[in-house]
Every structure is written in C-alpha cells, then in structure tokens.
Amino acid sequence: MAEAKEYLFKILVVGDLGTGKTSIIRRYVHNIFSSNYKSTIGVDFALKVIQWDSDSIVRLQLWDIAGQERFGNMTRVYYKEALGAIVVYDVTRPQTFEGVTKWKNDIDTKVSLSEAWGGGQIPVILLANKSDLIQEGHGQHVNPTELDQFCQDNGFIKWFETSAKDNTNIEEAASHLISSILKLQEENADNVADDENTINLNQQQQQQQNNGCC
C-alpha cells in the first residue's frame, strides 16, 4: 500500500480586532466555542491535521494575526511562506468590512506564491462572520450579489457567511481554501517537487558546512 502524501500548508487568518478570528480557529481545530476569548496579542498558532482523502494528509498551520497588528512592519515576517489566507469581518460592525480591502492589499503586497507554485497572489477567502447575531436582530444578512462582485473586484476566490458559535460554514470555507491550494499544487506538481528538493539539498549542504572542521 502506497504511503499517504503529506502536505503542510501555512494559512493566515487576518481581520480587524474583534471580528472572531480566534473563535473561528478554535471552532475549526477543536470544535469548541467560547464568548470569553481575550484579544490575541501579536500572533498565535494552531495546527489541524486532516485526512483529506484515502492517500492525502493535510497539515494546516493556522496563523492567527492580531487585529491591532494590521499593516505593521511585523506582518511581513508573519506572512512569509503562506500559501493561503482568510480575511474575516464582523457582519454586525460595518466598519470592520472597510478594513477588508486593506488587509487584502497588505497580503498581496507582502506575500506571493513562489515561481514553483506558479507565482502570483495566494488564494484568499472572505468570511462574513457572526451570522448568529443577525438571527438575534443585530445587523443584516449580506447581499450575495454585492459580495460576489466585491470578491471578483478584489481578488478573493470566494466568500462565506459564517458563525463560529453555531458552527456555520467554518468547515466548508476551510475546505474550499484547501482545495484551491491543492489544485495549485497539482497544476505545478513537478516544479513544487523540484523546489522542495532544492531546499532540502541546500539544508543538507549547510549542515555539512556547519559540521565541517575548521
């Protein structure tokens, strides 16, 4: 029986302060929800291992970037080698939607796919979060036609109306992003493999140099 292929994908989760990024990650990774999370300071990490299909395992490294970090110099360091991103806004606070294009521009200017992956922008999805609060009379549902157009105009691959509390569309959104990255991997399979082999060879050479006598 052939060994399962393993993939490691770094995913950024960004958005203004209080949009529910940490709640989305906790729901997705641990299937738990709490309304008492403290604001993320700097950056936090979570890892989720997914048996994608019978012969593929995907390890997702989720980088939870704090809202107050936005557009700071450190984001360039955080974004390095990311293969996808999730931008989150709060449907009950229209001002957080205004931050969406700034976050997307920040991602586009600071990270891109390597030539081995075909170059260009990394896949980014948009989450209209906290839809559960709409049921309670706060804010209003998004206009699908308008958001479709917004995503097309701003380079998002897709949008989802989500709720970490009700576990609405969290899995679906993540699966769509993973599928998009896997498709890129498949389209550039030979180049990606060569790129990884080059990196491994360089690391081995570096180790040999470090272990050499002087």
Side-chain angles (χ1 to χ4, degrees):
M1 188 173 145
E3 272 190 45
K5 292 179 186 172
E6 289 202 21
Y7 303 99
L8 176 63
F9 298 153
K10 175 179 174 179
I11 306 293
L12 308 173
V13 184
V14 301
D16 284 1
L17 193 64
T19 51
K21 300 182 296 296
T22 303
S23 294
I24 287 168
I25 291 171
R26 297 278 173 87
R27 171 61 83 182
Y28 181 57
V29 175
H30 305 293
N31 198 25
I32 57 174
F33 176 81
S34 167
S35 54
N36 299 320
Y37 293 133
K38 293 177 181 175
S39 295
T40 302
I41 306 297
V43 63
D44 203 359
F45 306 91
L47 183 69
K48 184 174 174 77
V49 181
I50 304 154
Q51 183 74 47
W52 185 254
D53 55 32
S54 57
D55 57 5
S56 303
I57 293 170
V58 174
R59 297 178 184 275
L60 273 196
Q61 194 183 62
L62 296 153
W63 285 52
D64 181 2
I65 314 289
Q68 65 266 40
E69 289 289 328
R70 90 173 183 183
F71 330 130
N73 292 330
M74 284 303 289
T75 54
R76 189 177 295 277
V77 178
Y78 299 150
Y79 292 176
K80 193 176 178 186
E81 295 178 353
L83 291 172
I86 298 168
V87 179
V88 185
Y89 79 96
D90 178 347
V91 290
T92 68
R93 292 190 293 138
Q95 67 271 27
T96 63
F97 183 71
E98 293 167 16
V100 165
T101 47
K102 293 174 185 172
W103 279 107
K104 179 66 164 61
N105 291 338
D106 196 49
I107 291 167
D108 290 346
T109 55
K110 291 178 181 174
V111 64
S112 58
L113 295 168
S114 70
E115 290 303 315
W117 281 79
Q121 297 173 350
I122 65 172
V124 185
I125 58 171
L126 176 64
L127 301 190
N129 194 38
K130 303 193 182 181
S131 62
D132 55 284
L133 293 178
I134 295 172
Q135 316 298 339
E136 297 172 13
H138 305 283
Q140 56 186 7
H141 282 286
V142 299
N143 182 314
T145 307
E146 286 180 7
L147 262 195
D148 283 346
Q149 189 62 52
F150 176 83
C151 287
Q152 193 175 326
D153 293 345
N154 292 278
F156 289 91
I157 58 171
K158 198 173 174 69
W159 66 270
F160 294 84
E161 192 171 80
T162 57
S163 165
K165 184 178 181 181
D166 295 344
N167 199 13
T168 304
N169 282 334
I170 305 295
E171 290 274 350
E172 291 83 353
S175 293
H176 187 81
L177 184 58
I178 295 166
S179 295
S180 300
I181 298 171
L182 284 169
K183 187 179 176 188
L184 283 169
Q185 168 102 22
E186 198 175 299
E187 289 169 354
N188 301 282
D190 294 340
N191 292 334
V192 170
D194 290 344
D195 194 44
E196 287 172 351
N197 290 337
T198 303
I199 291 168
N200 291 335
L201 184 62
N202 288 342
Q203 287 172 342
Q204 288 170 7
Q205 289 173 342
Q206 187 67 44
Q207 284 172 351
Q208 286 168 359
Q209 287 170 3
N210 291 342
N211 293 336
C213 50
C214 47

